[in-house]
Amino acid sequence: MKVSVLRRCIPNGLFFAGLRGLAVLLLFALTADAAGPARPNIVLIMADDLGVECLGSYGGTSYTTPNLDELAGQGIRFSNAHAQPLCTNTRVQLMTGLYNNRNWQAFGILDRNSQTIGHYMSDAGYQTCIAGKWQLYSYDPPDYPGAAMRRGTGMRGQDAGFDEYSLWHNGHTEDKGSRYADPAIEQNGAMRTDTAGQYGPDLWVDYICDFIDRKQSDDQPFFVYYPMALPHGPMTPTPISKDWQDPSKRHDDSTDYFADMVQYTDRCVGRVVDKIDQLGLAEQTLIIFYSDNGTHQSITSNTDNGPIRGGKGLTTDAGTHVPLIVRWSGVIQPGEKPHLVDSTDFLPTVLDAAGKSESLKRTDGVSFLPVLMGDDTARRDWIFCHYDPRPGWDKDQFSHSRFARDHRYKLYGDGQFFDVQQDPLEQSPIHLGTEDDERVATRLRLQSVLDQMPNPEPMPRDPLAFSASHQEAFFGESPSMELLWGEGKFTEGPTVTPDGDILFSDVRAGRVMHWNHQTGQTSILIDDLPGVNGLASIDSSHFYACQGSGRRALLKVSFDGKVDVIADRFEGKRFNSPNDVVIASDGALYFTDPRYGDQSDRELDHEGVYRIEDGKVTLATDHVQRPNGLAFSNDENRLFVADNNNDYGGARTLLSFDLQSDGSLANRKVVYDFGMGRRGIDGMCVDQFDNVYATAGKGDDAGVYVFGPDGEQLAVLPVPDVPTNCCLMSVDDQTFLLVTCQTARGTCGLFRAAVTPVDVQADSN
């Protein structure tokens, strides 16, 4: 009997050092000789959008899943397996064994230089096959902002190390076609022409079964990777659905078909398992079933513990907790395992089973093969999540998030700490100062994981490309800026009074400054307003001011120094950090309330744009990560909002919302994505043609960027310091752009530059 040492893969020297028990080695060697080969066939199946609540073996009661439930009874069911909240994020980790912070590029993209699970298994001497969903080569439609930087930059299925392939979405997004009825399938270098009237999942199972038939008696073992399309939307009829009988309904999209799709997921897995069993390969084949993320949020499923709403896209358990079932008949003992597993663990596990763990030079994953072989001491102490599906079409609705968790507790990069056993939806964070010794120690341990995980800033999502003709039209051949006052510490919030004077805040000095247009002199108007920020002038007697620290309030300030608090709470909870304010023609106030500064005592669980009318505070929208500057369109049908989250990978976008009759904001639209790798948009203003002037950037790209009302890049005014906010004023027949800054190069104050607003849309017509 030959005993081979199966090494645990160590993720970059982090926490997972240690030796495997000799008893487990002997157990594996003995069972390998007695019941199965040392190099088993391996079939890895991954469902698409299937949370644990969908399977009967995990307590689900809404759907029929007899094959998967039987597989769980014959093998090991893991109760603590997790994925990333969205598919590409998980697929990149599974394919490479690395967390997304190591090699993420964009949604629907796998770095073409990656060493994949297919490459590794082929190098290990396996015959390899992949069938199902690919979507790792080119995701953005051609007209999506920044798409030109990303289209065609990923990896095709035929380059991922597999000997044979049958794949959907192996090329550009606009060419992907259907994955279900009448599917578009590229197979071994050519598009299939025989799929009319067929169902994609059936064709992939046929392909896999044929591969297994042909390879079963070869000297080399086989590796099959089946990334399923089911039960991902569109939610359409399956061949077991009544509506399948009507070809005109086969592409209908409705959540009514989801139950059939789950049942068909189970049927497809059952067909693959049956093929293995019919060929007598059960004891020679390691079967792994997993899912890439939780169920779609439109689906609510019943379980033994009550209804569960899907959480795809969310970092709660509803988005990450997925089934993991492993069967190796006669080799591993059936049962349930509570061990933590994540999507980086599959590559080291299959290489471990193949006896080639030493070939894996770098991974964040940990082989769970010893757990399968009965070593319950072989365990992960934590898993890590670096989640940011951007950039990519339709992915700006998501944001960057990092967390580390163990079996019970989860710590986010922003400091939020949860007992996920007791609070799986993460509604009640554990606050500092309320923790017992166990929780304090756990928080410190998980923080050490976050501290050791690199948090790189991605490259910008798309280039800033301004027309030379527009540039000159707005700012002339040689744009220049005049310094009106330069003795500030952090100037913000410029606004023009009806008399033509300029008010602006000096945030760190806690004062409001007054520039007199007649004398050109600047003086202190109001002192001792800690954290005063955005301003809006209403008449010559008073103005409104946001106070981001101290009271955290919206203030009404008279020129004689009287300060009244208009609002400092929403539904009894203190605001986060009121930032910028604008006044509608009917007198209603809109202001932003992001989380800037010290938020250790924050009371609101969201950031938002608020409306105040007749003293009543309403939440206009909370569909903004970190709301900052804002400005009305001229007809006040739209409100532009800067989403300026300068955390890693945070949103740096110019948004617009439609104003509803009740004053709320709806129909969120990304007008322009300023992109990662840059300082985001801060303050803004709008000219008479609805061109948006946005302060953004720092260093060499610091400036006021001018965008058309629908996001066309028009011009940029370079600024000598870090720009914070801006407004427009007219003097006689000349328009001036006023810009405030924070100190980065030693000049902080109020600047002025001549500008000529241009109706670009009229010119184009």
Side-chain angles (χ1 to χ4, degrees), residues 494-503 514-515 517-518 525 536-544 557 559 583 727-731:
T495 186
V496 180
T497 72
D499 296 333
D501 292 347
I502 304 169
L503 305 180
H514 176 214
W515 181 84
H517 76 283
Q518 294 179 331
L525 177 64
S537 178
I538 184 65
D539 59 31
S540 297
S541 65
H542 67 272
F543 58 92
Y544 294 96
V557 184
F559 279 78
I583 307 171
C727 70
L728 292 162
M729 71 178 297
S730 295
V731 179

Side-chain angles (χ1 to χ4, degrees), residues 236-393:
T236 60
T238 75
I240 62 172
S241 305
K242 179 180 178 181
D243 287 342
W244 180 264
Q245 304 308 315
D246 183 349
S248 68
K249 294 184 177 181
R250 289 179 181 175
H251 295 278
D252 289 357
D253 187 358
S254 171
T255 55
D256 293 343
Y257 300 119
F258 183 74
D260 287 351
M261 296 179 79
V262 173
Q263 186 173 342
Y264 220 84
T265 302
D266 181 80
R267 174 177 289 199
C268 289
V269 174
R271 285 185 58 200
V272 174
V273 175
D274 286 347
K275 170 60 68 174
I276 291 167
D277 292 350
Q278 291 164 7
L279 295 175
L281 300 177
E283 295 184 352
Q284 303 169 46
T285 306
L286 173 64
I287 301 174
I288 304 172
F289 176 81
Y290 182 58
S291 178
D292 65 352
N293 50 250
T295 311
H296 195 276
Q297 293 183 45
S298 64
I299 300 297
T300 297
S301 306
N302 293 318
T303 73
D304 292 338
N305 296 315
I308 294 179
R309 180 186 175 190
K312 176 182 177 178
L314 306 178
T315 56
T316 63
D317 273 12
T320 70
H321 190 197
V322 294
L324 172 58
I325 298 169
V326 185
R327 193 195 82 172
W328 189 357
S329 298
V331 179
I332 64 175
Q333 295 299 312
E336 179 181 339
K337 298 291 185 181
H339 297 68
L340 286 168
V341 177
D342 73 22
S343 49
T344 64
D345 296 337
F346 291 90
L347 176 54
T349 298
V350 298
L351 282 178
D352 213 351
K356 293 291 184 179
S357 59
E358 72 280 356
S359 67
L360 188 54
K361 304 303 181 185
R362 186 186 186 206
T363 183
D364 288 308
V366 178
S367 170
F368 53 85
L369 183 68
V371 177
L372 301 177
M373 305 310 300
D375 182 3
D376 287 332
T377 66
R379 53 174 291 164
R380 268 184 173 271
D381 294 320
W382 51 262
I383 57 176
F384 168 71
C385 174
H386 176 104
Y387 171 59
D388 188 354
R390 300 165 301 167
W393 177 77

Side-chain angles (χ1 to χ4, degrees), residues 6 10 22 56 63 73 81 91 102 131 192 224 238 285 303 343 352 359 383 495 514 571 574 582 588 627 641 713 750:
L6 302 175
I10 301 174
L22 178 59
Y63 317 110
R91 291 162 194 270
R102 311 284 190 195
R192 288 188 60 162
V224 172
T238 75
T285 306
T303 73
S343 49
D352 213 351
S359 67
I383 57 176
T495 186
H514 176 214
E571 297 182 342
R574 294 178 65 200
V582 291
V641 180
Q713 302 172 52
L750 178 67

Side-chain angles (χ1 to χ4, degrees), residues 508-566:
R508 292 186 181 134
R511 58 191 181 181
V512 176
M513 310 302 297
H514 176 214
W515 181 84
N516 189 302
H517 76 283
Q518 294 179 331
T519 66
Q521 299 298 308
T522 301
S523 60
I524 299 173
L525 177 64
I526 305 293
D527 209 349
D528 195 25
L529 280 180
V532 63
N533 201 316
L535 310 176
S537 178
I538 184 65
D539 59 31
S540 297
S541 65
H542 67 272
F543 58 92
Y544 294 96
C546 290
Q547 188 176 30
S549 59
R551 282 169 291 197
R552 301 182 190 170
L554 183 67
L555 309 174
K556 180 180 179 181
V557 184
S558 300
F559 279 78
D560 62 6
K562 182 182 178 182
V563 178
D564 293 316
V565 175
I566 301 297

